[in-house]
């Protein structure tokens, strides 16, 4: 696949947008990948990393194997994601602590617009697609209200499965990988492992993530190939259901202690801005939600830059 430098720069910017979304717990980078027009190519690329690629590497060399796995695309995308995470992580962490309503309002606008932009790609609506849409919405919403697991297991098998499930969620529009780790009770041990340089734990989680990514990407690719419109309806539902998780106005029901000994929200409930305990900042929140909608509109237009 031949691309110009301009096209690869466009892919890198899309990676930056994905990385920014993945930094925020509750927002999926997969949603941004979908809106920016690279989701299916991403699935194809991940699926191409298989035994056949290893055979090509052995017989024809690195250059042929790199081409077989669409390496230039993957490198440009990962570069953008890395740049975004490294440059925006501290800023977003600061905003989550000091301006949570405004930050969540912006991301709420992003995800709300995503529902419409993904949904409009569905052709020939029928009863089945409507049912699947509502099923996806119900599942997405149910995941957002599940109580996180406080106690955690640190067995090798549990950490492996946690990595696999979290990475599956990360590439699934509407569901956050970080939130899945929190639900499973694996978030604290993983964060602690990062802080303490526990490479054994990190290796176990990483292997699970790689296995989950390679397996689940194939499932999604098959669903897109065979049942594209039904799959789009399900994903649209997931995204719609996830809106509850990023609703800007929350009431904290309970707290937990993170790996730094800090008290952070554990369980929260969406409430009306008029019942919010602090300053609801309704006007600014609405403006930032509108900005989020406009960003998705811009990404959708930007996705029309020729990248194939």
């Amino acid at each position: 696949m031949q691309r110009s430098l301009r096209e690869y720069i466009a892919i890198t910017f899309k990676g930056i947008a994905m990385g920014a979304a993945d930094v925020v717990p509750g927002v999926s980078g997969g949603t941004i990948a979908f809106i920016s027009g690279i989701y299916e190519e991403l699935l194809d690329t991940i699926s191409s990393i298989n035994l056949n690629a290893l055979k090509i590497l052995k017989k024809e060399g690195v250059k042929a194997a790199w081409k077989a796995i669409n390496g230039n695309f993957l490198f440009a995308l990962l570069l953008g994601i890395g740049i975004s995470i490294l440059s925006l992580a501290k800023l977003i962490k600061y905003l989550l602590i000091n301006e949570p309503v405004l930050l969540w309002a912006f991301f709420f606008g992003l995800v709300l617009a995503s529902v419409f932009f993904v949904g409009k790609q569905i052709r020939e609506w029928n009863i089945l697609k409507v049912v699947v849409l509502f099923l996806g919405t119900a599942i997405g919403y149910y995941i957002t209200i599940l109580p996180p697991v406080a106690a955690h297991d640190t067995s090798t098998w549990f950490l492996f499965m946690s990595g696999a499930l979290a990475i599956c969620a990360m590439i699934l529009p509407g569901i956050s990988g970080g939130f899945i780790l929190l639900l499973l009770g694996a978030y604290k041990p993983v964060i602690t492992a990062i802080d303490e340089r526990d490479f054994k734990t990190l290796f176990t989680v990483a292997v699970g993530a790689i296995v989950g990514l390679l397996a689940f990407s194939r499932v999604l690719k098959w669903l897109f190939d065979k049942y594209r419109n039904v799959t789009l309806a399900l994903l649209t539902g997931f995204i719609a259901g996830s809106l509850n998780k990023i609703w800007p106005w929350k009431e904290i029901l309970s707290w937990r202690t993170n790996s730094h000994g800090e008290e952070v929200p554990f369980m929260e409930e969406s409430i009306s801005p008029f019942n919010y305990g602090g300053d609801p900042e309704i006007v600014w929140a609405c403006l930032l939600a509108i900005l989020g909608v406009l960003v998705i509109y811009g990404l959708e237009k930007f996705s029309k830059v020729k990248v194939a």
Side-chain angles (χ1 to χ4, degrees), residues 4-20:
S4 67
L5 178 61
R6 176 173 174 267
E7 290 166 346
Y8 282 118
I9 290 173
I11 293 170
T12 298
F13 274 108
K14 292 172 183 181
I16 289 173
M18 284 180 63

Side-chain angles (χ1 to χ4, degrees), residues 67-231:
K67 184 177 180 180
I69 64 169
N70 200 9
N72 288 340
F73 165 83
L74 196 58
F75 176 79
L77 187 67
L78 291 176
L79 177 63
I81 293 172
I83 290 171
S84 184
I85 290 174
L86 291 174
S87 60
L88 294 177
K90 287 186 178 180
L91 172 62
I92 290 180
K93 182 179 179 181
Y94 171 84
L95 293 174
L96 279 170
I97 295 171
N98 295 282
E99 296 290 348
V101 170
L102 299 184
L103 182 66
W104 287 121
F106 174 71
F107 278 100
F108 188 86
L110 285 180
V111 177
L112 180 64
S114 300
V115 174
F116 294 99
F117 280 109
V118 175
K120 78 173 187 178
Q121 298 183 51
I122 302 171
R123 300 187 182 93
E124 301 175 2
W125 280 93
N126 55 32
I127 295 298
L128 174 62
K129 296 183 184 71
V130 172
V131 170
V132 170
L133 173 68
F134 280 103
L135 177 64
T137 303
I139 293 172
Y141 177 79
Y142 180 68
I143 289 174
T144 69
I145 62 173
L146 284 173
V149 178
H152 55 268
D153 185 3
T154 56
S155 67
T156 300
W157 177 247
F158 172 76
L159 292 170
F160 175 88
M161 290 303 299
S162 296
L165 290 171
I167 201 69
C168 290
M170 197 169 290
I171 64 169
L172 192 64
I175 301 177
S176 160
F179 184 58
I180 294 298
L181 285 177
L182 195 61
L183 288 177
L184 293 172
Y187 189 83
K188 185 174 181 178
V190 170
I191 292 298
T192 301
I194 293 172
D195 288 341
E196 298 178 355
R197 307 289 197 276
D198 181 355
F199 294 110
K200 180 182 177 181
T201 295
L202 293 177
F203 177 77
T204 303
V205 175
V207 171
I210 291 170
V211 172
L213 184 64
L214 294 177
F216 191 60
S217 64
R218 285 168 172 76
V219 173
L220 282 176
K221 184 178 183 301
W222 181 82
L223 288 171
F224 269 101
D225 289 341
K226 300 293 184 181
Y227 307 101
R228 178 179 174 80
N229 288 323
V230 173
T231 302

Side-chain angles (χ1 to χ4, degrees), residues 36-47:
S36 61
I38 59 173
Y39 188 73
E40 290 184 63
E41 182 174 2
L42 179 59
L43 293 181
D44 289 341
T45 300
I46 295 170
S47 298

Side-chain angles (χ1 to χ4, degrees), residues 222-276:
W222 181 82
L223 288 171
F224 269 101
D225 289 341
K226 300 293 184 181
Y227 307 101
R228 178 179 174 80
N229 288 323
V230 173
T231 302
L232 284 172
L234 184 65
L235 295 181
T236 302
F238 280 153
I239 299 170
S242 73
L243 285 169
N244 177 62
K245 175 64 181 173
I246 54 176
W247 177 250
W249 297 279
K250 298 281 189 181
E251 180 182 6
I252 300 173
L253 302 178
S254 61
W255 298 78
R256 67 180 177 88
T257 304
N258 66 14
S259 59
H260 299 289
E262 302 166 335
E263 289 292 312
V264 294
F266 182 62
M267 288 190 65
E268 297 177 303
E269 181 181 47
S270 297
I271 60 173
S272 164
F274 302 106
N275 295 329
Y276 186 67

